Amino acid sequence: METRYTTCVFCDGGCTVKAEIGDNGPMNILPANPAMPAICAKAHKIDEYRLHESRVTHPLRRVGERGGGAWQEITWDEALDEIAERLQAVVDAYGPEAFAVAEMPLNAGIGGITRRFMNCLGAVNYTAPVQLCMGNTAQVHRAVYGWFAFSNWDQTDCIVYFGQDRDSERWPSEYLKLKAALARGAKLIEIDPRETETAKLADYHLRIRYGTDAALMLAWVHVIIEEGLYDHDFVEQRCTGFDELRERVSAWTPERAAEACGISADLVRETARVYAGAQAAIIPWGVVPDMQTNSTSLIQLQCILRAICGFLNKSESVFGPSLGAQTASQLAGYGMLAPEQRRKQLGWDKGSILGFRASDLYHEANERAGIPYEPDILGESCACDPQALFAAMRGEGPYPVKALFSVANNTVMSYAGQQGIVEGLMDQDLVVVFENWMTPTAQLADYVLPGDMWAERDLLGSPFDVAPLLTAGRAFCEPVGACKNWYFVVKGLADRMGLGEKFPWKDEHELYDWRLAPLGLTFDELAASGKPAMSTPVAMGQFVTPSGKVELASSVIAALGFDPLPNYVPPRDPAAEAAGAGAYPYATFAGYRDRNSYNTNLHQIESLRRRDPEPRFFLNPADAERENVAEGEWCVVATGYGQVELMAHLDAAQPAGTLRVPHGWWKPETKQGLAAGLSCANLHNDGMLYPDDAWNLDPVQGVPGLRDGVHARIVKMPRGAVVRDAASIR
């Protein structure tokens, strides 16, 4: 019996698991730490996943029209030869900026290497789904603190959750930490319109209206400042912008916030006092703030509260960039890009906080802190604007984008404005997808390359630069068929395109050894130790901002042309306003986190699918009675921008006048191709409902409002036909 350890990425909870592997191959999957038995049902589905009959296990070349559903199996050499030739043709004809990548490094298992390949070519247009999920939070943290803040669960006595609903199937590791904190007597403040199981554990449940979180936090800061509950010494010595902040929040009384949020002013005051009066409060990351039109302000306010109440570097740690092991940012080598090429990045003119223009604003702060490279925190410090990218793919940008690589993510279904993404993919000269499945994105590709899955790879984690820890995970089994890791693909293309000297490592193990060499370690030694390696945080406890302090009014956000202070602007929906009162009566909330899938993945796993066979939307029973909709009936849910078909689920926890729609639904078992609606992705996925128009974007980040202002209506119907072609879905 052999025991191996790695990190499960069947969701983004990142639980460490171990496999007990017998001589004849069967695996027993267990929590890595018996004292923290964080493991969910999904982690036991490794063999059902990797050995699935529908898994892509050999390189495929498209035959016939894009989206037609016809494929030919080819060799790896054929695939890489042809892709390299066609990519070079795009670069020669349009410039390297015409080549873009959408990637999820967590799923690919390696960070920095894609950006290195792009930087060698001069390609500047990179995006990742973390633009709507922690990556954007990290950039706002950076604007206030200089780096991301981590919560210390072991000592906390007060937890503030924004819509987090944790249990043994959704972020089980954090769920166990939450239960342990509550057992110690910690207070839980849950801010969520729904009465979830986690909300039932809370000491205070603030059932605010969807999208009004920033208004509530403005009032919290108002109370804390007006009542003198803040840490005066920390504010005076370590912060800038306090006077401006005080002026901004002076108008945000609890009464004003109560009116916006739909709760009592007394509850606003009481919970602000509970948070400020704690000894070790934390505001753990959650995805809800990442997907609102007031996202930047809300995340800023969370950052401000940690700072002015004195919790930074106590119960909330700011590590800063690290030295020692080679980081993913150092591997990426952003210094290879000429300044004039950086300015070609799509979104430069918008001044997004996620792009090169923002990254440039930290140059002097990095030098002052002794950081000899350009840090890319959580893969989104040097990223393009996705909406601008998809527009350029449709021929609506300052220059055309004609080649897209979709790496370990389902790009079609991962952003708002799904109709326009499909149209952009249809207009490409080259689309390459690195995947395990024939996803809706893969169905529009020219080449589908079979990737390994997390249990089939040796891993040096994390693939993102955020904390100074490196862990070694061992593969539990060999890759199925001809599946390969992402470094094999990048190395193969680099060698064929004359970039081989920039990729001197023959395989990922040599690359891992290069990264660990400054610590005097090899990958094998790190894996054998069973312990993480730690680099040196360059600025532990410091703030790598332009001022060197916590910026309550952000100089970076101001330099990008935006309001440096947080505010609250009520969400709006122009289509609903134009249609008149009652036309779209339901406020929508997208992105319900299912227990039995992860974003767009795992719907093909039969044992999980049986538990959750159809895409459901949640509505209050009183609304269902008014609409004459019964449990399990199929309905059209339509906004002014698109529609989907979903099954009704009556749920008293759903606030009246609102709908909760699921994210990531397609039917892998159904017919493939554009004429079949990309296996029903165009029939069920929430990306069809939400536009990526400017009015629905947080202006500082460019993230769409998926959880506040867009309204919908319900129409009962028998199940209908799927969308037929690109023109009709546009």
Side-chain angles (χ1 to χ4, degrees):
M1 182 76 69
E2 180 183 2
T3 300
R4 295 187 178 189
Y5 297 85
T6 195
T7 300
C8 173
V9 293
F10 273 155
C11 85
D12 50 4
C15 298
T16 304
V17 296
K18 69 177 180 180
E20 294 179 344
I21 306 169
D23 292 339
N24 58 353
M27 294 183 293
N28 184 28
I29 306 300
L30 299 165
N33 181 4
M36 180 68 72
I39 194 168
C40 75
K42 295 188 285 291
H44 294 286
K45 308 302 178 182
I46 293 172
D47 280 348
E48 193 174 349
Y49 185 99
R50 72 185 190 91
L51 301 176
H52 196 286
E53 63 181 3
S54 297
R55 184 176 173 188
V56 178
T57 59
H58 291 83
L60 300 175
R61 178 203 293 135
R62 174 172 61 83
V63 177
E65 295 183 354
R66 188 185 305 281
W71 301 92
Q72 178 185 11
E73 189 175 299
I74 58 176
T75 68
W76 271 107
D77 280 339
E78 288 175 312
L80 295 176
D81 286 347
E82 293 175 20
I83 292 168
E85 181 179 359
R86 293 179 63 175
L87 178 58
Q88 188 65 60
V90 168
V91 171
D92 291 344
Y94 301 100
E97 59 274 14
F99 166 48
V101 175
E103 177 188 40
M104 183 51 167
L106 189 68
N107 298 335
I110 186 168
I113 201 68
T114 303
R115 297 309 301 265
R116 185 179 188 87
F117 179 67
M118 296 180 72
N119 293 336
C120 286
L121 287 172
V124 292
N125 292 314
Y126 173 96
T127 187
V130 289
Q131 190 249 2
L132 302 97
C133 184
M134 192 180 269
N136 57 328
T137 289
Q139 308 318 315
V140 181
H141 279 219
R142 190 182 189 192
V144 181
Y145 309 141
W147 204 249
F148 192 78
F150 285 90
S151 298
N152 186 335
W153 281 91
D154 293 335
Q155 68 181 66
T156 185
D157 62 347
C158 179
I159 303 132
V160 181
Y161 260 175
F162 285 78
Q164 287 101 311
D165 188 15
R166 306 299 194 213
D167 58 29
S168 59
E169 296 292 321
R170 292 175 294 186
W171 282 48
S173 179
E174 186 170 298
Y175 175 62
L176 294 177
K177 294 175 183 178
L178 171 64
K179 289 179 64 178
L182 296 179
R184 293 195 310 267
K187 301 289 186 183
L188 173 61
I189 301 172
E190 178 78 37
I191 301 164
D192 194 333
R194 286 176 48 81
E195 188 179 13
T196 64
E197 292 304 308
T198 301
K200 292 176 182 177
L201 301 174
D203 299 273
Y204 299 92
H205 180 197
L206 282 63
R207 296 193 70 175
I208 64 172
R209 295 188 179 102
Y210 282 140
T212 61
D213 312 66
L216 174 65
M217 292 297 96
L218 284 162
W220 271 25
V221 177
H222 171 101
V223 170
I224 289 166
I225 292 177
E226 288 301 302
E227 297 185 6
L229 304 177
Y230 60 93
D231 186 327
H232 292 70
D233 289 342
F234 186 87
V235 167
E236 182 177 342
Q237 297 170 17
R238 305 297 303 276
C239 299
T240 65
F242 182 74
D243 290 340
E244 298 96 314
L245 175 67
R246 183 199 292 270
E247 176 64 24
R248 173 59 55 86
V249 302
S250 63
W252 278 97
T253 64
E255 287 72 21
R256 182 180 177 186
E259 183 178 357
C261 298
I263 60 175
S264 76
D266 288 343
L267 186 58
V268 175
R269 285 191 177 87
E270 183 175 358
T271 49
R273 292 165 182 160
V274 168
Y275 174 81
Q279 297 302 304
I282 60 174
I283 306 176
W285 173 81
V287 75
V288 169
D290 291 349
M291 300 181 183
Q292 301 186 20
T293 51
N294 287 294
S295 176
T296 297
S297 287
L298 174 54
I299 299 168
Q300 266 188 286
L301 286 159
Q302 293 175 339
C303 292
I304 286 166
L305 284 163
R306 297 183 187 99
I308 66 173
C309 293
F311 298 129
L312 283 184
N313 298 320
K314 294 179 182 177
S315 52
E316 302 263 18
S317 299
V318 179
F319 292 115
S322 61
L323 291 177
Q326 298 284 345
T327 66
S329 302
Q330 288 171 290
L331 175 60
Y334 291 106
M336 290 186 282
L337 283 171
E340 59 271 19
Q341 195 65 18
R342 291 164 67 97
R343 286 191 289 271
K344 293 180 183 178
Q345 186 178 64
L346 291 166
W348 180 279
D349 57 329
K350 294 183 178 182
S352 168
I353 199 173
L354 311 180
F356 280 130
R357 186 173 168 188
S359 184
D360 287 346
L361 298 172
Y362 296 98
H363 180 73
E364 291 184 6
N366 291 333
E367 282 193 339
R368 188 170 61 241
I371 302 163
Y373 60 90
E374 182 169 6
D376 183 359
I377 179 173
L378 262 165
E380 280 290 310
S381 299
C382 303
C384 72
D385 177 74
Q387 288 74 34
L389 168 60
F390 300 136
M393 289 168 59
R394 298 190 297 267
E396 302 168 9
Y399 53 80
V401 169
K402 302 302 291 185
L404 179 79
F405 283 13
S406 178
V407 181
N409 77 109
N410 194 351
T411 308
V412 162
M413 301 178 66
S414 297
Y415 300 85
Q418 180 171 318
Q419 301 93 322
I421 301 172
V422 172
E423 184 178 332
L425 282 164
M426 292 296 291
D427 198 34
Q428 295 300 287
D429 289 354
L430 175 65
V431 177
V432 177
V433 171
F434 178 79
E435 252 297 350
N436 299 150
W437 311 98
M438 288 303 297
T439 64
T441 307
Q443 293 172 36
L444 297 177
D446 298 295
Y447 299 89
V448 181
L449 304 180
D452 57 356
M453 55 86 66
W454 61 267
E456 297 172 341
R457 67 172 70 112
D458 287 345
L459 172 73
L460 181 64
S462 159
F464 295 111
D465 285 353
V466 60
L469 296 177
L470 294 100
T471 59
R474 281 293 194 190
F476 293 170
C477 44
E478 292 295 320
V480 173
C483 294
K484 299 289 187 181
N485 64 70
W486 180 235
Y487 181 71
F488 171 86
V489 178
V490 174
K491 170 68 171 170
L493 292 176
D495 287 346
R496 287 164 170 82
M497 297 180 71
L499 304 174
E501 64 178 15
K502 299 292 186 180
F503 297 82
W505 314 282
K506 69 177 182 181
D507 57 26
E508 73 276 18
H509 294 99
E510 281 197 1
L511 172 59
Y512 296 162
D513 287 348
W514 172 80
R515 289 191 61 189
L516 290 166
L519 299 180
L521 284 171
T522 65
F523 177 80
D524 288 340
E525 290 168 345
L526 180 61
S529 75
K531 299 177 181 178
M534 187 165 184
S535 289
T536 302
V538 180
M540 182 71 179
Q542 302 177 46
F543 304 112
V544 190
T545 59
S547 67
K549 295 186 175 185
V550 174
E551 297 196 356
L552 306 177
S554 169
S555 65
V556 168
I557 293 176
L560 294 172
F562 304 105
D563 186 346
L565 290 163
N567 208 345
Y568 170 73
V569 178
R572 59 184 295 260
D573 182 341
E577 294 168 7
Y584 295 95
Y586 299 103
T588 61
F589 184 102
Y592 174 74
R593 186 175 289 277
D594 293 306
R595 290 177 174 84
N596 302 304
S597 60
Y598 169 46
N599 293 332
T600 75
N601 198 14
L602 302 179
H603 295 297
Q604 56 279 88
I605 305 305
E606 184 179 353
S607 60
L608 296 173
R609 183 69 175 278
R610 283 197 299 267
R611 303 178 183 181
D612 198 12
E614 300 290 353
R616 302 184 301 167
F617 73 101
F618 294 13
L619 76 163
N620 186 275
D623 293 327
E625 183 177 2
R626 184 171 56 255
E627 299 282 354
N628 192 29
V629 170
E631 176 72 24
E633 284 197 89
W634 283 90
C635 299
V636 168
V637 175
T639 68
Y641 316 97
Q643 65 182 44
V644 292
E645 292 183 17
L646 303 170
M647 180 182 283
H649 173 55
L650 280 56
D651 184 4
Q654 188 66 30
T658 72
L659 303 177
R660 189 163 189 167
V661 299
H663 168 64
W665 262 95
W666 59 298
K667 299 285 188 72
E669 72 276 11
T670 62
K671 188 176 179 180
Q672 297 178 10
L674 190 59
L678 303 176
S679 297
C680 296
N682 293 338
L683 191 64
H684 300 311
N685 188 47
D686 58 343
M688 299 292 292
L689 296 176
Y690 297 92
D692 59 3
D693 298 331
W695 65 267
N696 194 41
L697 303 178
D698 177 295
V700 182
Q701 304 173 36
V703 299
L706 304 178
R707 303 185 175 219
D708 44 16
V710 175
H711 283 63
R713 63 172 174 242
I714 303 168
V715 180
K716 283 178 56 174
M717 61 165 291
R719 297 198 67 184
V722 295
V723 173
R724 293 298 171 191
D725 53 49
S728 63
I729 66 169
R730 181 59 177 153

